Amino acid sequence: MVNPDKPIAIHDQSLEPRLRRQTGVALPSLLLWLAVAVLGASALGAIALHRGETINSFWFVTAAVCTYAIGFRFYSLFIATKVLILDGSRATPAERLNDGRDFVPTNRWVVFGHHFAAIAGPGPLIGPTLAAQFGYLPGTLWILIGGVLGGCVQDFVILFFSLRRDGRSLGQMARDELGPVGGFAATLGVMMISLILIAVLGLVVVNAMKHSPWATFTVTCTIPIALLMGVYMRTLRPGQILEGTALGVTLLLFAVVGGGALEQWPLVSQWFDFDAPTLALCIIAYGFCAAVVPVWLLLAPRDYLSTFMKIGTILALAVAILLLRPEIKMPALTQFIDGTGPIFSGKLFPFVFITIACGAISGFHSLISSGTTPKLLSNESDARMIGYGAMMMESFVAMMAMIAATVLDPGVYFAINSPAGVVGKEAAQVVQTISAWGFPVTVEQMANLAHQMGEATLFARTGGAPSLAVGMANIFSNLTGGAWLAVWYHFAIMFEALFILTTLDAGTRVARFILQDFLGNFYAPLGRTSWYPSVLITSALVVTAWGYFLYQGTLDPLGGINSMWPLFGIANQMLAAIALCVATTIIIKSGRARYTWVTALPLSWLLTVTSTAALHKLFNPAPRIGFIAHARELTTKLDAGTLTPDLVQQAPRLIFNDRLNAALTLIFLLVAWTLTFDTVRVALRHRRGLKTRSFSEVPYVRTQLAQS
C-alpha cells in the first residue's frame, strides 16, 4: 500500500509512459507484438504437433523467446501497475535499516546477479534433464506456461511484499498476515522444506564432482576468486564493478583451463580426487562458512560473478543452437509416461510437474525473494526487473537444459542417468538393458564418449548434471569444429556447480534467518541477525540438519537422486503453495481482491499437483514409487535373508530414510493445506467485514538515495 495521504505515483520513469499508454497502443508497436505472438504460436504448434523421428531445436528457442517477451512486456507490467503499484520514491529496507552486513543498498545489477544466481540452482538444469525421460514435449510446455504464469509471478509478488515489510521472511509475513496458526505452520514448513532443498542441491554437486579432479579443482577455485572480488570491489577499488567483473571472469576461465592441466601432474591431481561422502563433508563445511561471513565478502561477489558466467553461457548456448540447429533426438513422448521410468518412477501426471521445479515455479525462490534480495534492493521500482525478469531468465535456462539433454542419443542419455541399482553395474548389462527399451547404445560408444570428455566412465552418473554437461559440450564443440570437447565438458560441469553452490550458500543463509526469527520468540538476542553468537549457533544447526540428508544421499545405492529428487520436487512446490497463500492473503487485505486470481490460479494448480504426488509417494504400492512400500519390501527381504551382502549392511539405513521421507512428505502436505484453509478463512472474514490481523505494511518513508 502507498501512503494514503499522497496520490498514487509511479516514479519509475520506465513505468510512467507505459502506464499512460494502457488505453492505446501505437500501430507499429501493435504490429510488432502481433508478429511476435504469431511467431511464438507457430513455434509452439510445431513443437506440440510434430511426431517425426526428430525435430529441429530452432523451434524451442523461438517459442521460448517469444513467450518470455510477451509475458514480460504485458503481464509483468500489468502486475506492477495494477496489482502491486510499485513506488520508486519509497525508501527500501536496505536504505532504512542499513547495517553493513545483511541490509546493504546495492547496485541494481549486482542485486540482479545475486538474485538470479541464488534462485538458479539445480532445478532449471537438472529438472528438465531428468524429466526428459518422459520425452521433450511435457517438460517444454510446463517450462513455458508455468514460468510466465506461475514462477515469475510468485517471485515478483513475494519480493514486493517483503520490501514493504522491512525485508521480513516468508514465515514472518505469514504470521503477521494470517495469525499464529498459519504463521507457525508456514515457519515450520519453510524451515523443514528448505533443509531438504539445500541437501539435494549439494547432492547434485557431489554426483557431478566425485572422482573428477578437474571439476573439483575448478569449483574450489571459485571460492578464493569470489573472496578476492569482494575485497576488490568494496575496499581496494570501491564501485569499480566492471574492473571487478573482468578480474573475476578472467581468473575463472584460468581455473577451468588449469583443471585440465592437472592430468599432467598425477600427484597433484589426486589431491582433488574425492569420493562422494568426502565431497559431501567439504560442501557442508563450505555451507557453514558461507552463512557466517559478511554478505559482501563471499555471497554477493560469488553470485554476481557466477551470474555473468551463467547468463553468458546460456546466451552462448542459445546462439550455438540457432547457428547449428541440432535435431532433438528424444521422442516427444516415451513409453515411460506410464510410470516405469529408470531415472525416477511415477507417471507423467503429476511427476513431470514436481521434477521440473525451478524452471517453471519454485518455492525456494520465495525464500530468496523474502530473504537476502529485499535486504539489498535500493529502489522498489527494480522489483519488476529482478523479481519477474530473473525468474524469466531462469526459465530460459531450463529450456536450454531441455534442448542440451534431448539432442543426445536417447541410449546415451539413459546410460548416463540410470542408476546401477536399476540397469546393473556391468557395462555389458547396462547397454543390453537400455537397448532392449528401444534406445540402442554400445559399450564402445560409451567408452569413447567418456575418453573424449576426459572421464574414466560416464555410466550411472546420476543426478542429471553429467548428461547435461555432455549435451552442452557436444553443442559447443561442434561450434568450434569438434575441438576442445573435454574442456567444454568440464567448463559445463563448473558452470552447473556454480549454479548450484550459489543457491546452496544463499539458501543456508536464508534458513539461518528463518531459524533466528523462530528462536527470537524464546530468547530475543537469538532473533537478531547481526548478533554473532546467534549467527554461529543457528548456522551450525542449519548446516548440520541439511548435511545429514546430503551425507545419507551419498550412501544410497540408487544414487540418492532416485528417492530424494521427488521429495525435493514435492517440498519445493509445497513451499511455492505456501508463498502463494501468503501473497493471496495480502492482495485481499490490501483492497485489491479483484486481482486475487493472479496468485490464486497457480496456487490451485500447485495444490492439485503436489497433493497428488505426495499421496503417491506415501501410499503407492510400487516400491520404486512409494516410500512406505519400499521400506516394507526391504524389511521383508532383510528378514528373509534374500538381500545381497552390500544391501544387508545398507538396508537398515535405507529403511529409516524411507520412513523419514514419508514422515516429511506427510508434514509438507499438512502444512500446505493448513495454510490454504487459513488463507480461505482470512479471505472470508475480510469479505464479510469481520476482524482480521492488521495489515502489516510499514509506513511510507521517502527515499534519500539518488534515483537512477
Side-chain angles (χ1 to χ4, degrees):
M1 295 282 288
V2 295
N3 183 3
D5 297 326
K6 62 189 283 290
I8 293 176
I10 307 297
H11 294 271
D12 183 356
Q13 297 302 311
S14 66
L15 291 181
E16 279 187 18
R18 290 189 177 96
L19 188 58
R20 288 197 298 268
R21 293 198 301 266
Q22 291 291 310
T23 57
V25 180
L27 183 59
S29 178
L30 178 63
L31 293 176
L32 173 64
W33 287 109
L34 182 61
V36 171
V38 171
L39 180 60
S42 301
L44 282 172
I47 294 171
L49 301 177
H50 182 83
R51 290 298 180 272
E53 290 188 1
T54 61
I55 179 174
N56 197 286
S57 55
F58 170 82
W59 296 110
F60 290 72
V61 178
T62 302
V65 171
C66 293
T67 301
Y68 300 140
I70 291 175
F72 187 80
R73 168 59 180 85
F74 295 102
Y75 196 43
S76 73
L77 181 63
F78 164 77
I79 295 172
T81 58
K82 296 294 186 181
V83 183
L84 304 180
I85 309 182
L86 302 186
D87 187 354
S89 73
R90 190 184 186 108
T92 65
E95 178 185 354
R96 291 184 290 101
L97 306 176
N98 186 354
D99 62 5
R101 175 177 296 277
D102 295 313
F103 291 86
V104 182
T106 307
N107 178 278
R108 71 178 70 182
W109 294 110
V110 174
V111 178
F112 181 91
H114 157 71
H115 186 79
F116 175 74
I119 67 172
L125 295 173
I126 308 306
T129 304
L130 299 179
Q133 78 164 8
F134 291 131
Y136 67 76
L137 182 59
T140 296
L141 295 179
W142 174 232
I143 288 168
L144 294 178
I145 298 171
V148 171
L149 300 181
C152 294
V153 173
Q154 177 209 233
D155 292 19
F156 186 12
V157 298
I158 292 297
L159 174 59
F160 173 80
F161 292 141
S162 182
L163 278 171
R164 289 288 179 91
R165 287 159 180 79
D166 283 343
R168 291 190 181 106
S169 68
L170 183 62
Q172 281 182 303
M173 290 194 290
R175 185 167 59 248
D176 293 341
E177 300 293 343
L178 291 169
V181 175
F184 176 78
T187 301
L188 175 66
V190 168
M191 191 67 222
M192 296 184 68
I193 288 170
S194 63
L195 297 177
I196 296 297
L197 302 188
I198 297 168
V200 178
L201 306 183
L203 184 60
V204 173
V205 174
V206 167
N207 284 341
M209 292 168 54
K210 63 183 179 183
H211 297 303
S212 179
W214 192 340
T216 303
F217 171 82
T218 302
V219 173
T220 302
C221 286
T222 65
I223 299 173
I225 292 172
L227 292 172
L228 176 61
M229 281 187 64
V231 173
Y232 187 91
M233 291 191 294
R234 184 177 177 88
T235 304
L236 301 179
R237 296 280 288 170
Q240 298 301 315
I241 303 297
L242 291 179
E243 288 183 15
T245 302
L247 174 65
V249 171
T250 301
L251 291 175
L252 199 58
L253 293 177
F254 274 117
V256 175
V257 177
L262 288 180
E263 295 181 357
Q264 308 301 320
W265 293 283
L267 291 178
V268 179
S269 178
Q270 68 181 1
W271 297 347
F272 297 93
D273 188 349
F274 301 113
D275 60 11
T278 304
L279 281 171
L281 294 176
C282 294
I283 289 175
I284 290 169
Y286 165 75
F288 175 79
C289 294
V292 300
V293 301
V295 68
W296 61 265
L297 181 59
L298 177 60
L299 192 68
R302 180 188 173 92
D303 292 352
Y304 178 67
L305 170 65
S306 64
T307 294
F308 271 88
M309 189 61 64
K310 292 173 181 180
I311 295 179
T313 301
I314 288 300
L315 292 179
L317 185 61
V319 171
I321 290 170
L322 290 175
L323 293 175
L324 298 172
R325 297 186 295 280
E327 295 292 314
I328 302 294
K329 298 176 183 177
M330 187 71 72
L333 296 171
T334 69
Q335 66 265 39
F336 300 126
I337 60 174
D338 65 358
T340 60
I343 300 173
F344 62 91
S345 300
K347 294 185 177 180
L348 178 65
F349 180 87
F351 286 96
V352 72
F353 301 103
I354 64 167
T355 302
I356 299 178
C358 303
I361 181 169
S362 168
F364 181 82
H365 296 188
S366 66
L367 302 184
I368 306 301
S369 293
S370 63
T372 51
T373 302
K375 297 175 175 64
L376 302 175
L377 200 62
S378 59
N379 190 323
E380 185 178 286
S381 298
D382 295 330
R384 179 188 176 212
M385 175 191 75
I386 292 168
Y388 198 99
M391 173 57 206
M392 189 176 67
M393 187 66 204
E394 181 178 356
S395 188
F396 187 67
V397 170
M399 185 60 67
M400 295 302 101
M402 177 64 74
I403 294 172
T406 53
V407 297
L408 293 174
D409 288 333
V412 171
Y413 165 85
F414 284 108
I416 297 174
N417 286 290
S418 299
V422 175
V423 295
K425 295 182 179 180
E426 299 299 326
Q429 183 183 3
V430 174
V431 299
Q432 181 181 1
T433 301
I434 295 173
S435 297
W437 296 336
F439 305 118
V441 63
T442 66
V443 175
E444 293 75 16
Q445 182 182 6
M446 292 300 298
N448 183 53
L449 184 63
H451 176 72
Q452 290 177 326
M453 299 298 167
E455 295 284 359
T457 181
L458 287 172
F459 282 115
R461 297 293 295 272
T462 58
S467 65
L468 176 60
V470 171
M472 292 175 60
N474 275 319
I475 292 173
F476 284 133
S477 180
N478 288 334
L479 196 64
T480 55
W484 307 336
L485 196 56
V487 173
W488 285 122
Y489 172 80
H490 286 91
F491 175 84
I493 289 289
M494 180 274 295
F495 159 80
E496 293 171 9
L498 275 179
F499 255 90
I500 297 165
L501 285 179
T502 49
T503 307
L504 183 145
D505 52 31
T508 301
R509 184 175 288 263
V510 171
R512 187 250 290 177
F513 290 153
I514 297 169
L515 184 58
Q516 286 180 296
D517 291 341
F518 178 73
L519 294 178
N521 295 320
F522 305 98
Y523 182 58
L526 289 175
R528 298 205 306 266
T529 59
S530 58
W531 191 48
Y532 228 72
S534 173
V535 170
L536 295 174
I537 293 170
T538 53
S539 296
L541 291 174
V542 167
V543 170
T544 301
W546 63 254
Y548 169 81
F549 290 100
L550 168 59
Y551 193 79
Q552 293 302 318
T554 64
L555 303 177
D556 189 336
L558 295 180
I561 289 295
N562 191 287
S563 60
M564 289 191 69
W565 193 268
L567 181 63
F568 169 89
I570 292 171
N572 203 16
Q573 306 299 65
M574 286 290 188
L575 184 53
I578 292 172
L580 290 171
C581 281
V582 174
T584 301
T585 302
I586 295 176
I587 290 174
I588 292 171
K589 293 173 68 175
S590 66
R592 298 187 181 88
R594 63 188 180 279
Y595 299 123
T596 304
W597 57 268
V598 170
T599 52
L601 287 180
L603 169 61
S604 301
W605 173 251
L606 283 181
L607 286 171
T608 301
V609 167
T610 51
S611 297
T612 304
L615 293 174
H616 272 290
K617 297 302 292 183
L618 285 171
F619 304 117
N620 195 295
R624 289 196 65 228
I625 299 177
F627 290 132
I628 297 174
H630 188 246
R632 187 182 299 120
E633 180 189 54
L634 281 177
T635 302
T636 301
K637 290 183 177 180
L638 183 63
D639 293 340
T642 58
L643 292 176
T644 63
D646 289 344
L647 276 179
V648 169
Q649 298 295 323
Q650 297 170 341
R653 185 190 313 113
L654 295 176
I655 293 169
F656 173 78
N657 288 343
D658 278 329
R659 291 171 177 168
L660 179 60
N661 290 344
L664 290 172
T665 301
L666 181 60
I667 292 172
F668 299 157
L669 190 61
L670 293 175
V671 166
W673 280 100
T674 298
L675 264 293
T676 301
F677 287 128
D678 218 24
T679 297
V680 173
R681 176 188 64 82
V682 171
L684 291 176
R685 290 184 63 85
H686 187 271
R687 183 174 181 179
R688 293 170 183 167
L690 301 176
K691 184 179 180 180
T692 61
R693 300 276 289 194
S694 59
F695 199 54
S696 62
E697 186 174 291
V698 298
Y700 172 89
V701 175
R702 190 171 188 84
T703 182
Q704 300 302 309
L705 298 178
Q707 302 298 299
S708 57

